[in-house]
C-alpha cells in the first residue's frame, strides 16, 4: 500500500499591501491519500508530530474583520486622521497620547517622545498545529519571524491609557481612510486596525496618524530611543 501526502497553502493579507510590515494570515490543508485495491482514502497524517489541535483556520477575530466594515465604523465614530506636525502640536498643547502599535523592537529604535507602545501584532508564540502551519506558511514566503494578533492588546492599552484620554494611534506606514482612484476605500494599516479595536472597546477620542511614523521621522520631528532614555 502506497501513500501520498499533499499540502495546499492558503493565504490572505490583513493589510492588503505588500511590505515588511504586512500581517499575513496563512494556513495549510494537509491530506494523506492511501492507494489500495479498494481505491483512495483521505486522512490526517501526524507524521510523528504531536498535534494538540487541528490545523484549520480559527474563527475570525475583530481585527480580521473586512476592511470595509472597519472603515465604516471608524467614519461613523468620527475617527479623524491627522498629519505628523498636527499630531505633535496636539500632543504638546492638548495632552494627546501617541499610541505606537509597532513591534517593541521598532519602538525601541526610535519613537515620538512620551509615546506609549502596545504592539498590535507579536511574534507567534504557541506551538499548536495551527501555529506550526502558520510558521511554515510564513517561511514559504521567506518570512522567518511570523507574527500573530496580540490577544492582550486591548487589555494592555486599558492598563496604560484611560478610556477618556485623547489618543493618536500610530504605526510605521499609517494607511488612510481617504478614497483615491486606485484605492476607493482607502488603505488599511496596523494603526487603523488598532483604532477600530479601540472604538469597539469604548474609547471615544481616537485619532489616527496618517502617513505613519515614517512621515514623523521624515519631517525631522522630535524622536527618542531606548538608548537615549538610559543615558
Amino acid at each position: 500500500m502506497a501513500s501520498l501526502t499533499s499540502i495546499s497553502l492558503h493565504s490572505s493579507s490583513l493589510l492588503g499591501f505588500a511590505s515588511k510590515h504586512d500581517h499575513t494570515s496563512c494556513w495549510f490543508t494537509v491530506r494523506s491519500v492511501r492507494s489500495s485495491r479498494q481505491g483512495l482514502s483521505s486522512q490526517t497524517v501526524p507524521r510523528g508530530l504531536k498535534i494538540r489541535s487541528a490545523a484549520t483556520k480559527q474563527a475570525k477575530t475583530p481585527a480580521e474583520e473586512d476592511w470595509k466594515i472597519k472603515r465604516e465604523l471608524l467614519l461613523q465614530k468620527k475617527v479623524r486622521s491627522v498629519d505628523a506636525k498636527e499630531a505633535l502640536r496636539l500632543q504638546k498643547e492638548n495632552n494627546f497620547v501617541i499610541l505606537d502599535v509597532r513591534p517593541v523592537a521598532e519602538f525601541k529604535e526610535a519613537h515620538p517622545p512620551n509615546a506609549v507602545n502596545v504592539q498590535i501584532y507579536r511574534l507567534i508564540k504557541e506551538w499548536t498545529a495551527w501555529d506550526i502551519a502558520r510558521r511554515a506558511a510564513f517561511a514559504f514566503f521567506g518570512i522567518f519571524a511570523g507574527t500573530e494578533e496580540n490577544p492582550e492588546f486591548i487589555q494592555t492599552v486599558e492598563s496604560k491609557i484611560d478610556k477618556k484620554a485623547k489618543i493618536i494611534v500610530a504605526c510605521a506606514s499609517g494607511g488612510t481612510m481617504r478614497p483615491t482612484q486606485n484605492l476607493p476605500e482607502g488603505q488599511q494599516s496596523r494603526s487603523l486596525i488598532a483604532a477600530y479595536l479601540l472604538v469597539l472597546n469604548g474609547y471615544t477620542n481616537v485619532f489616527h496618524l496618517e502617513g505613519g511614523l515614517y512621515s514623523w521621522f521624515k519631517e525631522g520631528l522630535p524622536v527618542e530611543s531606548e538608548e537615549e532614555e538610559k543615558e
Side-chain angles (χ1 to χ4, degrees):
M1 182 180 293
S3 66
L4 171 67
T5 301
S6 65
I7 301 177
S8 301
L9 174 68
H10 312 265
S11 67
S12 61
S13 173
L14 295 181
L15 299 190
F17 62 95
S19 78
K20 69 176 182 179
H21 302 295
D22 277 3
H23 183 79
T24 305
S25 177
C26 307
W27 65 97
F28 286 101
T29 299
V30 182
R31 293 193 302 274
S32 173
V33 181
R34 290 189 176 182
S35 61
S36 66
R37 293 179 181 177
Q38 286 74 32
L40 299 177
S41 63
S42 177
Q43 66 178 35
T44 303
V45 182
R47 289 294 180 190
L49 178 66
K50 186 176 181 181
I51 299 179
R52 291 166 52 192
S53 64
T56 56
K57 193 169 189 309
Q58 299 174 341
K60 182 186 289 187
T61 68
E64 294 174 314
E65 189 56 83
D66 292 339
W67 166 234
K68 183 177 180 180
I69 293 174
K70 292 194 193 84
R71 181 175 179 269
E72 287 176 356
L73 181 66
L74 292 170
L75 294 173
Q76 178 187 333
K77 295 293 185 179
K78 302 188 186 313
V79 173
R80 185 164 68 89
S81 296
V82 298
D83 62 27
K85 288 183 177 178
E86 186 178 2
L88 177 61
R89 181 186 66 79
L90 291 171
Q91 183 193 40
K92 286 185 173 181
E93 299 177 7
N94 298 88
N95 297 316
F96 274 61
V97 177
I98 296 178
L99 174 60
D100 187 337
V101 299
R102 296 177 301 158
V104 175
E106 292 181 34
F107 177 81
K108 288 181 178 180
E109 287 179 6
H111 57 264
N114 302 314
V116 175
N117 178 231
V118 182
Q119 57 185 4
I120 189 167
Y121 293 108
R122 67 181 188 185
L123 293 177
I124 298 172
K125 287 188 174 183
E126 302 300 327
W127 288 94
T128 64
W130 165 245
D131 296 311
I132 292 169
R134 285 193 298 168
R135 282 184 171 89
F138 275 112
F140 179 85
F141 291 105
I143 303 170
F144 298 98
T147 58
E148 64 184 356
E149 182 184 338
N150 178 7
E152 299 171 355
F153 174 72
I154 286 296
Q155 180 183 350
T156 306
V157 172
E158 289 176 342
S159 71
K160 295 182 176 185
I161 305 175
D162 188 89
K163 288 198 173 182
K164 294 181 181 179
K166 293 168 284 190
I167 304 172
I168 300 172
V169 190
C171 67
S173 61
T176 183
M177 292 183 286
R178 298 178 185 177
T180 65
Q181 184 175 357
N182 295 329
L183 299 168
E185 294 180 351
Q187 177 65 67
Q188 186 172 209
S189 67
R190 289 178 294 180
S191 54
L192 285 169
I193 294 173
Y196 173 76
L197 295 178
L198 292 177
V199 297
L200 274 183
N201 286 275
Y203 284 87
T204 56
N205 295 296
V206 179
F207 293 69
H208 159 252
L209 181 61
E210 190 156 79
L213 291 168
Y214 170 81
S215 64
W216 183 287
F217 302 143
K218 187 177 179 181
E219 292 281 354
L221 300 181
V223 170
E224 291 180 346
S225 68
E226 186 175 80
E227 289 71 23
E228 291 174 351
E229 292 168 1
K230 287 180 178 180
E231 291 176 356

